[in-house]
Amino acid sequence: MPHLDPATTALLTVECQNGVVGEESALPELAKEARDSGMLGRVAALVDAAHRAGVQVLHAVAERRPDGLGANANARLFRAAGKLPVRQLTGSRAVEVAAPIVVGGRDLVVRRLHGLSPIAGTDVDALLRNLGIRTLVVTGVSSNIAIPNAVFDAVNLGYDVVVPSDAVTGVPAAYTAEVIRNSLALVAAITTTEALLTQWASAR
């Protein structure tokens, strides 16, 4: 893993929100994996370490209007999401960042009403460029869809991308290791939460 300069590095948490990984998740299997694997706790530890080291933190949240205006309906995933008992409605508890992650005063929360990516079609790229960010650390869920989208979009936009392998997950659990090994490792630097915590501790 390369040395990460806190001044030009940002940490992105992806869909670490109550309605996805919280106790009242619309996706209970994914939420259980996020908690039981320790992934959610590791993301929280990375956020805390980033705050202490002066690394900018962004939280990417997926939500939709109650009337669904502007939301995609061109894939089975989107249509199924609209029928779930827990919906990621704007302003609801479901779209709040989930505990134990603590949102800091300088953190940026970027919300999207459409699509699969936390980066494409959102404010993330413009915010990162305005902040002088060159390296993006990607964490969260899920390794099935949103995490690969975030990594590929960031790479296509010219960022160096780092993925702590134990701070992302999806379902089934074994799939995460496969997508990291066969896809993400080809375009991003793969590391661990412990390695990042050690590096950021020395940067304080």
Side-chain angles (χ1 to χ4, degrees):
M1 183 183 67
H3 173 74
L4 305 183
D5 180 357
T8 59
T9 300
L11 172 66
L12 178 69
T13 76
V14 177
E15 295 183 23
C16 291
Q17 58 199 79
N18 287 323
V20 177
V21 297
E23 296 287 346
E24 301 172 0
S25 171
L27 305 164
E29 184 181 1
L30 177 60
K32 185 176 188 302
E33 174 60 25
R35 293 192 302 270
D36 292 354
S37 68
M39 185 225 76
L40 195 56
R42 285 188 284 272
V43 173
L46 285 169
V47 169
D48 289 344
H51 289 157
R52 292 192 296 271
V55 172
Q56 180 64 53
V57 178
L58 294 87
H59 305 279
V61 173
E63 60 182 53
R64 61 188 292 134
R65 288 166 49 110
D67 59 10
L69 191 64
N72 291 67
N74 59 331
R76 182 162 60 102
L77 174 67
F78 299 127
R79 294 189 292 272
K83 299 175 183 177
L84 291 173
V86 177
R87 300 172 66 202
Q88 316 300 324
L89 299 181
T90 300
S92 72
R93 173 173 160 74
V95 298
E96 295 175 1
V97 175
I101 298 169
V102 176
V103 179
R106 294 189 70 254
D107 291 7
L108 297 169
V109 180
V110 181
R111 305 180 183 277
R112 78 177 194 274
L113 292 172
H114 64 88
L116 299 169
S117 174
I119 295 179
T122 75
D123 291 335
V124 168
D125 180 41
L127 293 171
L128 294 177
R129 291 187 189 282
N130 287 346
L131 290 163
I133 300 299
R134 298 300 310 143
T135 302
L136 187 64
V137 179
V138 177
T139 66
V141 296
S142 72
S143 58
N144 304 78
I145 295 178
I147 295 298
N149 268 272
V151 171
F152 296 146
D153 286 343
V155 170
N156 283 332
L157 288 165
Y159 296 98
D160 294 321
V161 179
V162 175
V163 177
S165 60
D166 54 353
V168 297
T169 200
V171 289
Y175 179 75
T176 299
E178 292 300 318
V179 78
I180 290 173
R181 180 182 307 111
N182 296 302
S183 296
L184 303 188
L186 302 178
V187 296
I190 308 301
T191 187
T192 64
T193 296
E194 183 178 2
L196 281 172
L197 293 177
T198 299
Q199 186 172 140
W200 286 343
S202 66
R204 283 183 284 168

